[in-house]
Amino acid sequence: MVTETLTVQAVGTDRKSFTQLIWQSSTIVALVVLIVVFAIASGGRFASASNLTNILNAVAILTIVAVAQTIVMVVGDFDLSVGMTATLGGAMAGALLVGGANLAVAILAGIGVGIVVGAVNGALVAFLNISAFVATLATMTAVGGLNLLITDGTNIYGWAEEFNIVGQMRINGIPAPVIYAVVISIIVWLVLRFTTLGRRWYAIGGNAEVARLSGVSVRPTRFFAFVAAGGLSALAGVVLVSRLGSAGPHAADDRMMFAVAAVFLGMTLLRSGQANIGGTLIGVAIIGVVQNGLNLVGINTYIQQVLIGAIIIGAVLLSGLKNKNT
């Protein structure tokens, strides 16, 4: 009887493990399937080296913003303002450069305003106990107004060419924004994986009260997560403006939506269902592949918006279903 009981338990465990494996690999499988489908549908154009480089360059800015969103979602919060903050960072740097400011000063100021926005978000959420959704929605709206004020509602340009080099240069054929995105992703992954700060962020995201009882200073730690997200988002905006050669009032606004989708897609890769850098990068890759592939096969832009929206819904549903099955 004892042997039979142990056999039944082992089968149940194996089935559960197999189910978990399916859920955890579903995002990667989806990416591979999309690559194969578009490679066939485009007659080989999709898989060319030049096109793959274009995809990486296209998603580089989104990657940085998505990494910023990942940090906030690791602690169990949400930041609706990352896209607007990216726009603000780029607009601030561009406006200062047009006004004759030094290149380093303009870039640091652009990143600095993002840190300020992150600090405001962190203070509202961590210290004033306002819902992250409500707080960041409010700052998103306010920052959107600042973007219009700084740019006067139009594109600004005309700075020294040296600023454009930051986002347009290539190193051994690799676009600079891609290198920035890779370096930032590695740094944040190392922080989350190997530092005390990263472990505290994950602890708070798992259970803030348990983390507090374990000696974690929950409020300052949550606050710093928003500060880091704000600074990284603004950095992404500075790089974007440099690459485009102009700064507009809505340059990076849509990155927030895609960043959220990427993080949710990546949350299925961990058994815990928590946000993680590796999964976020897979999510970003899926979005980049879909956008590029649909363009190559000639799908209407409006239809693309519908499909991207469906991907976001699917990402949230997939994350929720995964949690129920683990």
Side-chain angles (χ1 to χ4, degrees):
M1 291 296 292
V2 175
T3 303
E4 291 177 357
T5 302
L6 291 175
T7 301
V8 171
Q9 289 176 344
V11 171
T13 302
D14 289 343
R15 287 177 177 174
K16 184 176 181 180
S17 298
F18 181 73
T19 301
Q20 290 174 343
L21 179 63
I22 293 297
W23 279 112
Q24 288 176 225
S25 61
S26 58
T27 307
I28 298 176
V29 171
L31 175 60
V32 173
V33 169
L34 286 170
I35 291 174
V36 172
V37 168
F38 286 126
I40 295 173
S42 64
R45 289 178 297 161
F46 178 85
S48 66
S50 61
N51 188 59
L52 293 178
T53 301
N54 289 337
I55 294 175
L56 291 175
N57 197 27
V59 300
I61 305 302
L62 172 59
T63 299
I64 300 173
V65 176
V67 167
Q69 186 69 263
T70 301
I71 294 174
V72 177
M73 292 181 71
V74 160
V75 299
D77 289 314
F78 201 84
D79 191 346
L80 292 174
S81 67
V82 289
M84 291 289 189
T85 302
T87 300
L88 177 63
M92 176 63 72
L96 289 175
L97 286 168
V98 170
N102 175 271
L103 176 62
V105 171
I107 292 176
L108 290 175
I111 298 172
V113 295
I115 292 175
V116 171
V117 173
V120 171
N121 285 331
L124 293 174
V125 175
F127 295 110
L128 298 181
N129 295 320
I130 298 176
S131 162
F133 183 88
V134 174
T136 58
L137 177 63
T139 53
M140 179 186 74
T141 304
V143 171
L146 289 175
N147 292 336
L148 291 170
L149 287 172
I150 292 174
T151 63
D152 198 25
T154 187
N155 288 336
I156 56 177
Y157 51 89
W159 46 71
E161 184 63 27
E162 60 180 348
F163 179 52
N164 292 341
I165 295 175
V166 173
Q168 295 177 9
M169 68 177 176
R170 290 178 175 246
I171 301 175
N172 293 327
I174 303 175
V178 175
I179 296 175
Y180 304 149
V182 170
V183 171
I184 289 169
S185 298
I186 291 174
I187 291 173
V188 174
W189 176 77
L190 289 173
V191 170
L192 291 174
R193 182 70 176 80
F194 297 107
T195 69
T196 300
L197 176 62
R199 288 191 289 271
R200 288 176 176 175
W201 277 340
Y202 271 118
I204 293 170
N207 190 312
E209 182 59 20
V210 171
R212 185 186 68 80
L213 294 174
S214 299
V216 176
S217 300
V218 173
R219 291 187 176 185
T221 307
R222 289 179 73 190
F223 171 81
F224 188 69
F226 280 98
V227 172
L232 286 177
S233 298
L235 173 60
V238 171
V239 176
L240 175 63
V241 166
S242 173
R243 190 178 75 183
L244 295 177
S246 66
H250 306 292
D253 293 358
D254 62 344
R255 263 64 175 193
M256 183 276 292
M257 177 180 66
F258 295 134
V260 171
V263 178
F264 271 117
L265 282 168
M267 288 168 68
T268 61
L269 293 183
L270 289 186
R271 183 173 299 181
S272 62
Q274 290 180 301
N276 62 97
I277 295 300
T280 295
L281 295 180
I282 296 295
V284 168
I286 288 177
I287 293 172
V289 165
V290 169
Q291 289 180 321
N292 181 269
L294 292 176
N295 283 330
L296 285 180
V297 298
I299 300 298
N300 185 285
T301 303
Y302 302 140
I303 297 177
Q304 290 186 34
Q305 290 280 43
V306 174
L307 293 176
I308 294 296
I311 288 176
I312 295 174
I313 294 173
V316 177
L317 290 176
L318 189 62
S319 180
L321 289 172
K322 186 265 179 186
N323 289 335
K324 290 182 180 179
N325 283 272
T326 55

